[in-house]
Amino acid sequence: MNYPETLAWLYAQLPMYQRVGAAGFKKGLGNTEALAAALGHPETKFRSVHVAGTNGKGSSSHLLAAVLQSAGYKVGLYTSPHLREFTERIRVNGQELAPAYLVQWVASHQQLFTEVQPSFFEMCVALAFDYFAAEQVDVAVVEVGLGGRLDSTNIITPLVSLITNISYDHQAMLGNTLPEIAGEKAGIIKPGRPVVISQTQPEVAPVFEAKARQAASPLLFADARYEVRPTGETTPEDYARGTQVLNVYREGQLSLEGVQLGLLGDYQRLNLPGVLATLDELRAQGFTIPESAVRQGLREVTRLTGLRGRWSIIGQHPLVVADTGHNEGGLRLVLAQLARVPHRHLHLVIGTVNDKDVAQVLALLPRQATYYFCQADIPRALPAEALAALAAAQGLAGRAYGPVPVAVAAARAAAGPDDVVFIGGSTFVVAEVAELYEQG
């Protein structure tokens, strides 16, 4: 099989949660452990950092990888889902997995897949760990796919675990309360291994404290050590170059003055304390990470790791922004930032998946805006017409446009130079924004 045929085979043989929803999610680590055993336990052959959370885990993973690369380490990075290309999920020093490697790897292990019958995600994790071991990475940053306790990535024993924000998402699989969801995320805490929590959230902090006590794991709430403050309002020039300038305080003292962060979303200020505290833990375990590497990694994260879709500016006059925030917590932060961006009128290109609490999402959206409802090209997408009908019932003005590119083109054509166009609601909507891949 060639590369397209290999991908088609994988999608046909192994359920893919991102495409089909709950049918592609298997609880338990048995299949992943079986794959790892057959591959010679590659997860034991490299050091790792494990990152979980509802919002912020992807950005935090990329930021950690960028800083570690800047410090001279050979860094593996495993994230999901991919935006446009499968190979985005697995990187070494920012370079995506070669399609030829995927083709060869799948061909070599088809008998194993027949015996184990893994899910798509279980196969992806086994591939990533086998690749990182073969590449002899110094350290791998591994993002949890869904939850934590029963996620396939949870066969690693990391140097440090990082848990970012907890919000409502995937309730059918993770629980209906924030403490229940936090309990699943806390499942990545390993005996005796330090754990960093990015944000102190009173409703879930006791869950992490109890799990850390049980595991005898040192626990740090990063926002008790680090505070991140903007140096001023984000300027049009900042938006144009895709950076924000921040001051970082460590235990009340200015620690990093005027640090440039190459991710624009205000919500990145909530992620940064966790990233910095995790780097502290790695330093304590012998990693050499100078301030210059921290500054370079934070500034050049998109170049170093290929991160896309986090408050990505893809057009000016009108300002066009794409962001993958898609659950209640993520959307609240994105919408609050949108409200602060000067604009005459707001145009929102929105799509979602059919297993989300759509009413909850629509209730967050501003009424004084024009909507362009769309449908990503995946089986799990909610039809644009159905989304438009639900939105109309909540007083949102707009119409259904079907495919994402059609909706984006309509919004850009209708917007004036002083307007703002926002594209989001789902990772899979953002994945179809071609301009994201033209930014170098």
Side-chain angles (χ1 to χ4, degrees):
M1 294 187 293
N2 60 22
Y3 176 61
E5 290 167 342
T6 299
L7 284 182
W9 183 87
L10 289 173
Y11 294 156
Q13 300 296 318
L14 309 171
M16 180 180 177
Y17 173 79
Q18 278 79 17
R19 291 176 63 83
V20 304
F25 177 66
K26 290 187 178 181
K27 283 194 171 186
L29 301 179
N31 282 355
T32 311
E33 289 169 340
L35 292 175
L39 295 169
H41 289 290
E43 77 281 5
T44 66
K45 297 175 182 175
F46 56 86
R47 299 177 294 180
S48 61
V49 176
H50 208 183
V51 185
T54 307
N55 298 304
K57 65 182 186 292
S59 297
S60 296
S61 296
H62 282 81
L63 288 166
L64 284 167
V67 172
L68 289 165
Q69 283 173 234
S70 298
Y73 292 101
K74 187 175 186 180
V75 183
L77 176 61
Y78 178 74
T79 58
S80 63
H82 59 270
L83 281 182
R84 185 168 67 168
E85 198 63 60
F86 173 88
T87 51
E88 296 169 24
R89 294 170 177 253
I90 302 168
R91 301 174 186 265
V92 172
N93 279 3
Q95 297 300 305
E96 296 179 21
L97 178 78
Y101 189 98
L102 174 67
V103 171
Q104 180 273 327
W105 192 86
V106 169
S108 299
H109 300 297
Q110 285 208 22
Q111 181 59 41
L112 176 60
F113 297 153
T114 300
E115 294 169 4
V116 176
Q117 291 291 299
S119 72
F120 177 89
F121 190 78
E122 289 164 341
M123 182 281 303
C124 291
V125 170
L127 166 63
F129 292 175
D130 205 30
Y131 183 61
F132 293 156
E135 287 289 305
Q136 298 181 310
V137 298
D138 296 317
V139 61
V141 180
V142 177
E143 180 196 8
V144 164
L146 194 156
R149 181 174 64 92
L150 299 175
D151 187 75
S152 300
T153 61
N154 205 27
I155 64 170
I156 59 175
T157 301
L159 300 174
V160 55
S161 301
L162 170 63
I163 302 176
T164 64
N165 163 279
I166 303 299
S167 185
Y168 290 103
D169 206 6
H170 305 298
Q171 288 96 310
M173 287 160 280
L174 302 182
N176 291 313
T177 70
L178 291 182
E180 286 177 330
I181 295 170
E184 291 297 315
K185 312 288 185 187
I188 72 167
I189 298 173
K190 297 296 194 303
R193 300 300 172 103
V195 56
V196 173
I197 311 297
S198 291
Q199 285 179 259
T200 304
Q201 297 173 264
E203 191 170 351
V204 297
V207 175
F208 298 131
E209 290 167 340
K211 177 64 176 178
R213 279 196 304 272
Q214 177 190 342
S217 298
L219 174 69
L220 173 68
F221 288 95
D223 54 358
R225 175 179 292 176
Y226 286 104
E227 181 187 359
V228 177
R229 303 177 195 165
T231 56
E233 286 299 312
T234 305
T235 66
E237 291 75 22
D238 293 328
Y239 280 120
R241 69 170 181 261
T243 61
Q244 55 180 315
V245 183
L246 306 167
N247 287 334
V248 177
Y249 295 80
R250 190 181 197 277
E251 295 171 348
Q253 301 297 312
L254 185 59
S255 173
L256 290 170
E257 183 175 9
V259 66
Q260 289 186 322
L261 180 60
L263 299 173
L264 265 176
D266 288 355
Y267 52 82
Q268 298 298 349
R269 299 171 201 164
L270 303 177
N271 296 328
L272 195 50
V275 169
L276 295 172
T278 300
L279 294 171
D280 287 344
E281 293 294 340
L282 292 175
R283 287 190 185 99
Q285 297 185 50
F287 281 72
T288 301
I289 308 169
E291 180 181 319
S292 59
V294 174
R295 288 182 177 273
Q296 180 185 0
L298 299 184
R299 182 179 65 248
E300 300 182 20
V301 56
T302 57
R303 181 185 69 80
L304 290 167
T305 69
L307 179 61
R308 298 285 186 270
R310 293 350 185 253
W311 199 266
S312 293
I313 307 296
I314 61 170
Q316 302 281 350
H317 312 297
L319 182 71
V320 184
V321 181
D323 193 283
T324 55
H326 58 274
N327 53 49
E328 180 189 9
L331 276 173
R332 282 188 187 280
L333 293 167
V334 167
L335 292 169
Q337 181 160 0
L338 268 179
R340 289 195 297 275
V341 176
H343 61 270
R344 185 181 62 83
H345 190 68
L346 186 59
H347 304 258
L348 283 87
V349 179
I350 298 291
T352 188
V353 290
N354 58 22
D355 52 0
K356 289 281 183 191
D357 185 345
V358 178
Q360 183 185 54
V361 168
L362 293 173
L364 298 174
L365 300 177
R367 299 302 183 259
Q368 300 303 313
T370 302
Y371 287 85
Y372 306 75
F373 299 106
C374 61
Q375 177 179 342
D377 188 20
I378 59 167
R380 201 173 142 218
L382 181 68
E385 294 78 7
L387 180 58
L390 290 169
Q394 295 215 30
L396 301 180
R399 53 165 284 205
Y401 286 82
V404 173
V406 175
V408 171
R412 297 184 85 158
D418 298 323
D419 291 353
V420 170
V421 176
F422 175 78
I423 305 165
S426 166
T427 299
F428 309 104
V429 169
V430 174
E432 296 184 35
V433 178
E435 290 95 333
L436 280 179
Y437 308 96
E438 298 165 1
Q439 296 180 331

